[in-house]
Amino acid sequence: MDMDFDAVIVGAGFAGMYMLHRLRQGGFSARVLETGKGVGGTWYWNRYPGARCDVESVQYSYQFSPELEQEWEWTERYATQPEILRYANHVADRFDLRRDIQFETRVTRATFDEQENLWIIETGAGERLVSRFVVTAMGCLSSPNTPKIPGLSEFRGPTYHTGSWPHEGVDFSGRTVGMIGTGSSAIQSIPLIARQAEHLTVFQRTANYTVPAHNAPLAPDYVRQVKADYREMRARAKTKPAGIDFDINWASAVETSEAERARVFETRWAYGGLGFIASFADLLLNDQSNKTAADFVRAKIREIVRDPRTAEILSPRNIIGCKRLCVDTGYWETFNRPNVTLVDIGDEPIERITPSGLRAKGSDYDFDCLVLATGFDAMTGALLNVDFRGRRGIALNEAWRDGPKTYLGLTVAGFPNLFTITGPGSPSVLTNMLPSIEQHVEWIADCLEAMRTRGQTVIEATGPAQEAWVHEVGNSASITLRATCSSWYVGANIPGKPRVFMPYIGGLPAYIAACEEVVAGSYKGFAFS
Ligand code: N01
């Protein structure tokens, strides 16, 4: 069998683009296969109104190229989806990546040939490529979840999913809109859709916590200062659990006086953003500490939302930070608008979608357009949409029947020469994705270079090493409150999905140390041939 490429990379988001760049630098041949018509991954598909990153733009960016860091100008504290997509396109052009990216190509199946030690990759168009390695760069939140609500196909108007929004945009002027979901995507888009639509009805199953973004244009002085300090800032970020350079207050919330606690929460609220969850070090470890932060946010909701009943429905009851914290611009305020209605469906599921709207709790709601802000089959969805076949033809679906199992979130026992960038079992979604992606890409590229030097062509995680890592991932999850609620982190949003806390919660520094230890131990836990 002739080999077409050293590596096939699946996906041309930030992970796939950098993987291609690094492999080329290492002298490997590679081809990226991408379903979309352009680069950008998440930022290519998620074009709903208000889509932005919840990590500050100067940190949610590549650091592998100091020149790129210096030349690119972010304009806002939190970059919009169009700006991040422009950045992705700039990177593709600057590093001449497009010539090795094949767009509009969906990988459907990949089979490891044990005789030849090669992967055979099949695409939706019937194409077949052969490579030594496969690297998945498909994103953690890239397989949209469309809930199986009866009658969905009978709705007469247009239905939009926030995770695959029309590229030409949607004009809701003069239209009535029904929105299902109140996660990050809904929280970002609700204020903008409400401003445009004639009426917006939001169907909320679980109330969510959000903190204000206080987004603003970036001051030129601040940008100059960041650019002068970039290396140090990136180094500081690598010492933080989330890989984001923000201050963690190491005090305990319950051991802090009420007055001081209120001062800390107010200061963080006024600053805005995800750093709110680092107000105290034990917010995700101690439920009494957590309650102090949750009470603070609930009081804010009561202050902002004028109708007490609406404020009550909007007030989350679960652990703050258990589901991913959201960052918003004017979310609670939007429920003061006369053209916005909130419907609590927490205690009874939607009965059905009707041709003119939906039926819930015995009432009919009519609207012209339906927006599904219903999230993703997170972390495993995109991987399992491809029929990966490892040794003895075993399907990844089968290997992961009881939940995903990986070694370092990077490799899977029984699937030689397959690497999974930000796979389940890596810190990924609990961190700033860009540095996590870069760390994975560099680890993989270094590994392939080491194999070439040693004349090896096959790498495979051993079963015991994988079991030990799975155990470590589960153990670290068991000490935090994050694993205690029905979130997409545990697969609870997808009926029938095994309940496993999928990301590694030990923090980026511990994870990097684990990866480095493996390398220092001559790739401990891997078998080579
Ligand atoms: O999805 P979600 P998302 N009937 O799963 C509801 C990242 N992200 O797209 O909570 C009724 O959070 C569901 O209800 P419940 C970020 O990591 C980042 O908003 O399951 N409701 C929930 O309210 C985020 O966490 C940014 O009870 C149903 C909502 O739909 C992740 O993506 C921006 C339902 C889904 O919320 C996912 O966010 C946006 C049903 N059958 C997203 N099924 C940034 O800023 C689901 N729901 C970087």
Side-chain angles (χ1 to χ4, degrees):
M1 197 163 16
D2 288 337
M3 192 172 89
D4 298 306
F5 302 98
D6 293 316
V8 161
I9 301 163
V10 190
F14 285 123
M17 288 201 292
Y18 183 40
M19 192 75 245
L20 171 62
H21 180 62
R22 270 308 292 254
L23 289 181
R24 273 189 192 166
Q25 281 183 326
F28 295 99
S29 63
R31 165 69 56 95
V32 180
L33 304 180
E34 162 60 50
T35 307
K37 289 183 181 163
V39 298
T42 283
W43 305 104
Y44 174 87
W45 299 104
N46 286 262
R47 298 174 187 235
Y48 58 83
R52 289 178 189 274
C53 191
D54 55 5
V55 175
E56 298 192 16
S57 49
V58 294
Q59 301 208 47
Y60 188 83
S61 51
Y62 284 124
Q63 55 190 288
F64 71 84
S65 163
E67 297 78 23
L68 172 66
E69 255 173 1
Q70 293 298 322
E71 77 198 15
W72 183 261
E73 295 290 339
W74 294 107
T75 64
E76 291 180 66
R77 179 175 170 190
Y78 296 98
T80 59
Q81 173 272 329
E83 188 168 29
I84 302 173
L85 191 58
R86 275 199 298 282
Y87 174 71
N89 277 288
H90 170 75
V91 171
D93 293 335
R94 194 189 191 288
F95 297 98
D96 187 22
L97 300 178
R98 288 178 212 280
R99 65 185 156 87
D100 287 322
I101 304 176
Q102 187 172 321
F103 293 104
E104 296 184 75
T105 304
R106 179 178 287 281
V107 174
T108 52
R109 191 179 165 100
T111 310
F112 186 70
D113 183 305
E114 290 190 70
Q115 251 72 57
E116 308 254 5
N117 289 328
L118 291 170
W119 279 95
I120 300 158
I121 297 101
E122 293 166 66
T123 74
E127 207 179 343
R128 190 171 174 273
L129 283 85
V130 177
S131 67
R132 177 73 68 204
F133 300 98
V134 171
V135 184
T136 65
M138 293 191 276
C140 298
L141 294 154
S142 48
S143 177
N145 166 40
T146 298
K148 292 184 176 55
I149 305 173
L152 195 54
S153 61
E154 289 157 30
F155 182 61
R156 265 199 310 262
T159 301
Y160 307 105
H161 194 294
T162 47
S164 54
W165 201 257
H167 288 197
E168 63 281 11
V170 180
D171 184 2
F172 291 111
S173 307
R175 321 229 61 202
T176 54
V177 181
M179 168 164 313
I180 301 175
T182 48
S184 292
S185 304
I187 283 176
Q188 288 187 331
S189 55
I190 281 171
L192 291 167
I193 295 177
R195 263 191 253 156
Q196 198 180 55
E198 186 182 308
H199 195 94
L200 171 65
T201 308
V202 177
F203 298 90
Q204 174 191 279
R205 187 163 72 179
T206 310
N208 222 329
Y209 293 95
T210 177
V211 292
H214 298 310
N215 185 43
L218 286 174
D221 273 356
Y222 172 74
V223 174
R224 258 193 302 279
Q225 192 191 318
V226 168
K227 287 191 173 181
D229 180 48
Y230 242 137
R231 298 269 62 77
E232 290 75 18
M233 184 178 116
R234 303 293 200 181
R236 284 193 301 276
K238 279 206 176 109
T239 67
K240 306 286 167 68
I244 306 176
D245 181 30
F246 58 52
D247 286 336
I248 299 165
N249 175 10
W250 290 106
S252 152
V254 279
E255 287 167 16
T256 301
S257 72
E258 204 178 325
E260 173 58 10
R261 211 165 46 216
R263 191 196 63 76
V264 172
F265 284 140
E266 280 295 353
T267 308
R268 298 247 170 182
W269 186 266
Y271 183 74
L274 292 175
F276 183 80
I277 206 67
S279 297
F280 294 95
D282 58 352
L283 292 185
L284 287 166
L285 296 173
N286 174 329
D287 53 5
Q288 286 311 308
S289 295
N290 191 278
K291 186 171 175 303
T292 64
D295 284 345
F296 176 87
V297 177
R298 287 191 281 259
K300 287 287 177 200
I301 298 170
R302 287 194 296 273
E303 252 173 52
I304 298 168
V305 179
R306 285 196 290 270
D307 173 41
R309 193 172 160 273
T310 306
E312 184 59 22
I313 298 170
L314 285 170
S315 295
R317 299 278 145 225
N318 53 6
I319 296 286
I320 182 169
C322 190
K323 292 191 177 202
R324 188 183 164 109
L325 190 61
C326 304
V327 177
D328 73 284
T329 300
Y331 177 66
W332 310 118
E333 291 82 347
T334 299
F335 292 90
N336 290 330
R337 294 178 66 100
N339 70 331
V340 176
T341 308
L342 178 67
V343 180
D344 178 10
I345 51 162
D347 46 0
E348 260 183 62
I350 293 167
E351 278 170 53
R352 64 179 299 108
I353 307 290
T354 63
S356 58
L358 67 76
R359 187 169 175 77
K361 296 169 91 168
S363 299
D364 283 308
Y365 299 87
D366 285 350
F367 38 79
D368 303 322
C369 317
L370 174 62
V371 177
L372 300 175
T374 45
F376 303 89
D377 183 353
M379 307 214 65
T380 55
L383 282 162
L384 296 179
N385 280 342
V386 175
D387 184 9
F388 281 105
R389 300 280 167 157
R391 288 203 190 278
R392 293 174 295 285
I394 186 144
L396 189 59
N397 240 312
E398 186 59 25
W400 285 4
R401 197 180 32 190
D402 301 325
K405 290 191 166 133
T406 67
Y407 184 34
L408 300 172
L410 272 164
T411 54
V412 185
F415 292 78
N417 291 359
L418 172 69
F419 294 96
T420 51
I421 301 179
T422 64
S426 74
S428 58
V429 290
L430 299 177
T431 64
N432 182 1
M433 287 300 278
L434 265 287
S436 281
I437 283 170
E438 286 181 304
Q439 186 264 344
H440 270 194
V441 165
E442 286 160 16
W443 193 95
I444 295 166
D446 290 349
C447 174
L448 297 201
E449 285 177 31
M451 286 175 68
R452 185 174 53 195
T453 306
R454 302 190 313 202
Q456 296 159 333
T457 50
V458 182
I459 175 172
E460 183 178 354
T462 65
Q466 176 166 286
E467 278 313 309
W469 184 251
V470 169
H471 187 71
E472 166 67 18
V473 172
N475 252 356
S476 57
S478 66
I479 59 165
T480 97
L481 299 172
R482 261 204 165 113
T484 59
C485 69
S486 300
S487 67
W488 58 256
Y489 291 133
V490 296
N493 62 329
I494 305 295
K497 190 166 172 169
R499 292 272 183 122
V500 174
F501 192 82
M502 294 180 284
Y504 171 62
I505 204 171
L508 194 59
Y511 177 76
I512 293 174
C515 291
E516 285 174 355
E517 200 186 309
V518 166
V519 176
S522 208
Y523 288 94
K524 186 171 68 173
F526 287 102
F528 290 91
S529 54

